[in-house]
Amino acid sequence: MENHSSSTSGREIVRGSVERITYEHPDSDYKVLRIKVDGSSLPITVVGSFLDPQIGEELQMHGYWARHAQYGQQFKVQAYERRSPTTILGIQRYLTSMVRGIGPKLAERMVTYFGLETLRIIEEEPERLVEVKGISKRRVGDIKQSWDRHRALQEVMVFLRGHDITQNQALRIVREYGRDAISILRANPYRLATEIRGIGFKTADAIAQSLGVPPDSMERARAAVLFHLGRGGEQGHLYMPLHELLGVLTESLAIQPTRLEDAVYALDREGELVIETLEDDTTIVYRSVLANCERGAARDVRALLKQKGRPEPPKLTERLERFQLESGIRLAASQKEAITMGLCAPISVITGGPGTGKTTIVRAICEISHEQGLEVVLAAPTGRAAKRMQEATGLGSKTLHRLLEFSPRDGSYQRNQERPLVGDLVIVDEASMIDIYLFYALVRAIPYGSRLLLVGDADQLPSVGPGQVLSDLITCECLPVTRLKEIFRQVDGGLIVENAHRINCGKMPAFPKPLNDQLLDFYFVPCDDPGKAASIVVEMVTHRIPKRFGLDALTDIQVLSPMHRGQIGVQNLNDLLQEKLNANKSSLRFGSTLFYVGDRVLQTRNDYDKDVFNGDVGWIEALDAEEFTMKIRFDERVIDYERSDLDDLRLAYALSVHKSQGSEYAAVVMPVMTQHYMMLQRNLLYTGLTRGKRLVVLVGTEKALHIAVQNAQVRNRYSRLDWRIRGGKHAPPS
């Protein structure tokens, strides 16, 4: 290699090979590299913007030297050129870092055999790789695929440079489009906004403008409409009023309303959208997939309602008496009615808050059905909820995705009307979490003659996905519904249950003072300073609760916060708790987050290939800071995460209340302060409080609590499922 440093026009040139990637920011191209140069026994540190550098790759960098106050001498890169490695050792290290499936030993055998021609062989004559001992034809395909992906990524990164596309976003683009990425983006850059997670309309629009797409083009108007309707779905809406859609886009994008309206009707003709008119002549617009789900779900619910219910089991009264004797539980009249309804009705709903006996009812229905020789199928939206259901009934339970046999390959459910579920009664818990996509898949797979029972708490936060299924099923007034209001868990539920129901009724929670050393299950710690409140939360988790209640700070206690930002938001609390609870030194920095082995982490989106879902919590078992990979344990499974997967992860010492849906924790600590004003809502406070099983501690002000308790206004979601179930005029024939 040439001399490692020279100077031209006041700017120095450094040439060397990449030895290590010390740090890379996920939201920019900024990286810190260690570079091995000739004539020096120690590597140097270089900093700057780099496009997917690889270990062993040779770079010629233009820049200047500077001394960092903490990290010492660094070379700041202003521009660089990349070269394929030109030495045997460089090629070997390059292959090891860049091509999945090639370890150090195999890379050594390859360069020993092919020498400096190794990279050319992979590019031009990959079939010759079988000449190397240990490389099969199948492995040749894997090596070539990985090589092509790497080259495509580099080409895409160069193409997208200057458009605020991060390396991780580029990885997702390449994973979606492969080597055709550039031609696809040149043909229609707006596909990024609707097809690639994490890339919004603004970024796609900037690329389109740079490629010469006119601001008033129909292509731009169509993309804006589709993207905004997609954003509406993320906020829970199934449709948008046309006037609202046009108003928002006209103001934010300066597109003429007539142009946008033309785009809407063109998309309707092409089947991308569905346009309907409400009774008051308001025009509404659906994405076609959501319209199909809503219409199909309503049709299948009506079909279930038309089926004849099962007759009441013989001697049911005697059987319920025996259940009470065996369980030691005295059933109320409302619970007996719910059991009868669940056993007989073709489709029904049981709703109620904590302590109202929902689990007891499900147990009784399962036992009686089993005695009748009927097959009961149990499911829930999340793995944690399914596990709790299994523990409560002693029967097997699955997530809805597994029950319906979701196929990540084509995004379809293998259980459907042609291949329905097998069972006489399907019981689904935590039904408030079911969105319209999952509900349609579920009702479509219920076999003729079977019954469906949905159990949930309608007062909790609605589903993360679009729709308000449980609420619509209740308000349509077509289904038999049992509303449980009487509290039965008072002895062991104590103040948690009592205060949950007080809050739900618009009353302030009770704060009785403990007598002597009495341990309560609900505490309120007054504090009006956010910084001090954050310290109290950390002290509660790390010291006071473990000492007084014998709970494990890492596994039993969950901090919940209404918001992400601020001193008492999820992000800051996670940093503070991680510092106190995890002393492990093995770490990986990704963006602003430093992950350690042993950290509790949250999956933030559904990943069907990995079979992990939005809201799942796991533990980091191992990580590789150089390769940007992790191994994360979710219950009994260990899942591998690559660099492109890491932006799906967040620390989980503290969670938002929304992310806690469907979970239960031994203890919950939750700040409630006026700084969270925008999120102080009754259903959010209620949902957070009801996650606690043995202990709930609120930290904050009574004023903030009062605001939350009195704020019963729930942001309406645009949905017509209830109207369609009632037989609306636009409903398709059964």
Side-chain angles (χ1 to χ4, degrees):
M1 189 182 294
E2 305 166 64
N3 292 335
H4 76 268
S5 180
S6 60
S7 180
T8 304
S9 302
R11 190 170 64 167
E12 292 196 51
I13 299 174
V14 169
R15 302 179 185 90
S17 61
V18 180
E19 183 171 90
R20 183 156 55 93
I21 302 171
T22 303
Y23 168 77
E24 59 182 314
H25 196 285
D27 298 325
S28 71
D29 297 327
Y30 179 82
K31 296 175 180 64
V32 179
L33 309 179
R34 296 287 280 172
I35 300 291
K36 179 71 171 65
V37 295
D38 273 353
S40 175
S41 59
L42 296 175
I44 64 170
T45 298
V46 302
V47 299
S49 293
F50 295 90
L51 301 179
D52 193 34
Q54 299 296 322
I55 305 296
E57 188 174 39
E58 294 180 8
L59 304 177
Q60 177 170 294
M61 297 159 287
H62 304 255
Y64 61 93
W65 291 95
R67 178 167 291 280
H68 190 280
Q70 182 177 355
Y71 299 111
Q73 191 82 344
Q74 297 178 335
F75 187 74
K76 295 198 171 184
V77 176
Q78 296 171 309
Y80 74 96
E81 297 88 44
R82 64 199 316 157
R83 303 172 177 178
S84 295
T86 56
T87 67
I88 293 294
L89 181 60
I91 293 172
Q92 183 176 325
R93 298 188 69 215
Y94 183 62
L95 288 174
T96 302
S97 69
M98 187 274 295
V99 184
R100 184 190 300 179
I102 296 183
K105 292 183 179 179
L106 180 56
E108 183 179 4
R109 290 203 301 273
M110 290 172 68
V111 297
T112 299
Y113 190 88
F114 291 117
L116 297 177
E117 290 283 287
T118 302
L119 299 183
R120 187 194 65 78
I121 294 294
I122 296 175
E123 177 71 26
E124 300 175 7
E125 302 178 78
E127 66 278 359
R128 287 192 57 195
L129 294 176
V130 295
E131 298 172 20
V132 178
K133 182 181 178 181
I135 299 183
S136 62
K137 287 185 178 180
R138 179 178 177 181
R139 201 165 192 181
V140 168
D142 293 339
I143 291 171
K144 181 61 175 172
Q145 184 180 34
S146 182
W147 175 267
D148 288 345
R149 179 172 174 269
H150 166 66
R151 296 298 285 262
L153 176 62
Q154 290 186 338
E155 292 171 7
V156 171
M157 288 299 292
V158 171
F159 175 75
L160 296 173
R161 192 182 185 98
H163 294 297
D164 296 324
I165 294 291
T166 68
Q167 182 167 304
N168 277 339
Q169 289 171 334
L171 281 168
R172 289 198 289 271
I173 292 170
V174 171
R175 189 159 55 187
E176 181 71 22
Y177 301 141
R179 301 205 73 164
D180 297 328
I182 293 176
S183 60
I184 287 172
L185 297 184
R186 286 190 183 278
N188 182 7
Y190 289 108
R191 288 179 62 175
L192 289 174
T194 54
E195 296 178 357
I196 305 297
R197 174 178 53 86
I199 299 181
F201 181 84
K202 183 178 179 181
T203 300
D205 198 32
I207 296 172
Q209 300 296 307
S210 71
L211 292 173
V213 178
D216 62 346
S217 69
M218 179 60 73
E219 185 180 20
R220 184 171 186 249
R222 290 158 59 99
V225 167
L226 291 173
F227 179 74
H228 193 72
L229 285 173
R231 288 289 297 273
E234 292 172 3
Q235 296 167 1
H237 301 303
L238 298 185
Y239 66 85
M240 296 287 287
L242 180 60
H243 71 272
E244 183 178 323
L245 177 66
L246 299 183
V248 170
L249 294 178
T250 300
E251 181 179 348
S252 61
L253 299 175
I255 303 176
Q256 290 298 317
T258 53
R259 192 56 141 178
L260 289 166
E261 197 163 351
D262 288 345
V264 167
Y265 283 98
L267 289 165
D268 175 54
R269 289 191 297 272
E270 295 165 14
E272 290 276 354
L273 302 182
V274 171
I275 298 174
E276 293 184 356
T277 303
L278 302 183
E279 292 75 13
D280 62 0
D281 293 328
T282 298
T283 301
I284 63 174
V285 184
Y286 287 85
R287 290 292 298 264
S288 58
V289 64
L290 289 174
N292 291 337
C293 286
E294 187 181 78
R295 290 173 171 181
R299 180 192 62 232
D300 291 342
V301 168
R302 293 200 315 276
L304 279 169
L305 288 169
K306 289 179 181 178
Q307 292 185 26
K308 187 177 180 181
R310 284 185 177 272
E312 182 178 303
K315 299 182 180 180
L316 179 59
T317 302
E318 296 177 16
R319 181 60 189 88
L320 291 177
E321 285 296 328
R322 181 152 54 89
F323 174 81
Q324 293 177 103
L325 287 172
E326 292 171 351
S327 64
I329 298 172
R330 194 68 192 167
L331 296 171
S334 60
Q335 290 178 301
K336 293 178 181 177
E337 291 171 7
I339 292 169
T340 304
M341 177 190 72
L343 288 167
C344 302
I347 178 172
S348 57
V349 172
I350 296 173
T351 183
T356 54
K358 297 189 297 295
T359 301
T360 298
I361 291 168
V362 170
R363 280 176 50 202
I365 290 173
C366 289
E367 289 184 16
I368 294 170
S369 297
H370 181 70
E371 289 180 2
Q372 289 184 284
L374 302 176
E375 184 174 354
V376 179
V377 178
L378 302 179
T382 68
R384 289 161 294 171
K387 188 175 181 180
R388 289 203 314 275
M389 202 178 190
Q390 184 168 315
E391 292 169 350
T393 62
L395 301 176
S397 180
K398 297 180 179 179
T399 64
L400 282 169
H401 283 89
R402 286 184 179 176
L403 178 70
L404 298 170
E405 297 179 15
F406 180 81
S407 171
R409 185 177 64 250
D410 58 8
S412 67
Y413 293 92
Q414 303 307 298
R415 292 289 182 177
N416 47 42
Q417 60 268 48
E418 285 81 29
R419 187 170 172 263
L421 296 168
V422 177
D424 301 293
L425 171 61
V426 179
I427 304 177
V428 180
D429 198 9
E430 296 287 357
S432 64
M433 299 181 67
I434 301 176
D435 63 21
I436 193 67
Y437 297 121
L438 197 52
F439 183 64
Y440 180 39
L442 172 64
V443 292
R444 193 169 47 169
I446 301 297
Y448 184 82
S450 293
R451 290 153 294 145
L452 174 62
L453 171 61
L454 299 162
V455 183
D457 187 345
D459 294 314
Q460 288 187 23
L461 292 168
S463 61
V464 175
Q468 48 188 22
V469 171
L470 183 61
S471 175
D472 283 344
L473 291 174
I474 294 171
T475 57
C476 76
E477 298 184 346
C478 298
L479 284 68
V481 176
T482 299
R483 294 176 176 83
L484 302 171
K485 297 181 179 179
E486 188 177 350
I487 302 173
F488 302 101
R489 228 172 66 193
Q490 194 63 35
V491 175
D492 58 353
L495 289 168
I496 294 177
V497 173
E498 178 186 338
N499 283 333
H501 287 272
R502 288 178 66 89
I503 289 169
N504 214 18
C505 294
K507 299 177 182 178
M508 285 287 282
F511 311 131
K513 291 186 178 180
L515 302 174
N516 301 322
D517 286 337
Q518 178 189 12
L519 290 179
L520 303 179
D521 67 349
F522 186 95
Y523 294 87
F524 175 71
V525 181
C527 179
D528 59 4
D529 178 77
K532 187 176 180 181
S535 298
I536 291 172
V537 169
V538 173
E539 175 69 9
M540 286 284 177
V541 173
T542 60
H543 180 67
R544 292 168 64 177
I545 291 176
K547 182 178 180 181
R548 287 279 285 159
F549 291 85
L551 297 176
D552 188 290
L554 282 169
T555 58
D556 296 331
I557 308 170
Q558 182 63 59
V559 174
L560 303 178
S561 180
M563 294 186 73
H564 285 274
R565 300 190 183 279
Q567 289 178 292
I568 46 174
V570 169
Q571 294 175 6
N572 186 54
L573 290 172
N574 264 319
D575 291 340
L576 295 174
L577 288 163
Q578 181 194 49
E579 183 181 353
K580 292 288 186 181
L581 293 173
N582 194 348
N584 202 300
K585 300 303 180 186
S586 181
S587 66
L588 180 158
R589 180 171 289 281
F590 189 78
S592 59
T593 303
L594 192 62
F595 291 102
Y596 291 93
V597 170
D599 273 340
R600 188 161 69 196
V601 291
L602 172 77
Q603 174 76 13
T604 60
R605 75 173 183 98
N606 291 344
D607 188 325
Y608 300 106
D609 291 317
K610 288 184 171 58
D611 198 25
V612 291
F613 299 95
N614 186 1
D616 284 353
V617 173
W619 301 84
I620 300 176
E621 286 207 342
L623 54 79
D624 187 322
E626 292 188 9
E627 297 293 330
F628 280 83
T629 59
M630 292 185 189
K631 291 185 180 295
I632 300 177
R633 176 172 294 279
F634 293 94
D635 295 324
E636 291 79 31
R637 299 180 304 130
V638 176
I639 307 295
D640 290 325
Y641 277 68
E642 299 178 18
R643 180 171 61 187
S644 60
D645 303 317
L646 297 187
D647 57 357
D648 294 337
L649 297 174
R650 301 289 183 272
L651 293 177
Y653 299 101
L655 299 176
S656 69
V657 178
H658 285 83
K659 292 296 186 184
S660 71
Q661 286 179 268
S663 299
E664 277 189 356
Y665 313 101
V668 163
V669 181
M670 183 175 173
V672 184
M673 305 190 74
T674 52
Q675 283 77 11
H676 293 152
Y677 185 84
M678 294 297 293
M679 298 297 292
L680 291 178
Q681 299 170 350
R682 182 185 296 174
N683 64 347
L684 187 138
L685 176 62
Y686 174 81
T687 300
L689 189 152
T690 54
R691 302 308 89 203
K693 197 173 181 181
R694 291 174 52 187
L695 175 68
V696 170
V697 179
L698 303 182
V699 179
T701 66
E702 289 197 37
K703 180 180 179 181
L705 270 177
H706 181 78
I707 292 171
V709 169
Q710 295 305 311
N711 184 10
Q713 293 183 344
V714 178
R715 184 169 57 87
N716 288 329
R717 296 184 169 194
Y718 291 126
S719 168
R720 304 194 85 200
L721 179 62
D722 56 346
W723 180 84
R724 293 186 193 280
I725 293 173
R726 289 194 298 267
K729 61 183 178 182
H730 291 291
S734 300

